[in-house]
């Protein structure tokens, strides 16, 4: 991202929709957003294993989506 506002918007969307993935890839951003929103979605909502964002089964090694 070139624009700081766009980075914030995309990071926020990822924070709520894929919290475990964001925490794995960018822990500093995840922790800043958790502090800002006073909410930890990875802790509050258990990880739904075997599903992608589009609802299809994961077919990748180690149970990680290919996106």
């Amino acid at each position: 991202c070139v624009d700081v506002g766009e980075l914030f918007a995309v990071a926020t969307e990822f924070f709520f929709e894929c919290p475990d993935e964001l925490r794995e890839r960018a822990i500093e951003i995840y922790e800043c957003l958790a502090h800002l929103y006073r909410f930890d979605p990875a802790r509050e909502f258990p990880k739904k294993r075997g599903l992608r964002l589009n609802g299809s089964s994961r077919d990748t090694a180690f149970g990680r989506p290919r996106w």
Side-chain angles (χ1 to χ4, degrees):
C1 292
V2 177
D3 183 357
V4 175
E6 183 180 352
L7 172 63
F8 179 75
V10 171
T12 294
E13 181 178 357
F14 222 67
F15 178 75
F16 286 107
E17 292 189 10
C18 307
D20 294 313
E21 190 77 18
L22 180 63
R23 189 169 56 183
E24 287 175 18
R25 293 180 183 220
I27 187 70
E28 298 85 7
I29 292 174
Y30 182 89
E31 289 175 348
C32 287
L33 291 173
H35 180 74
L36 175 70
Y37 292 120
R38 297 180 184 164
F39 179 69
D40 187 349
R43 189 177 306 155
E44 296 292 325
F45 302 110
K47 191 175 192 178
K48 294 182 181 179
R49 299 188 188 279
L51 294 178
R52 292 180 134 195
L53 288 177
N54 65 7
S56 66
S57 295
R58 289 184 183 175
D59 58 350
T60 59
F62 309 111
R64 298 185 73 180
R66 270 187 263 181
W67 58 52

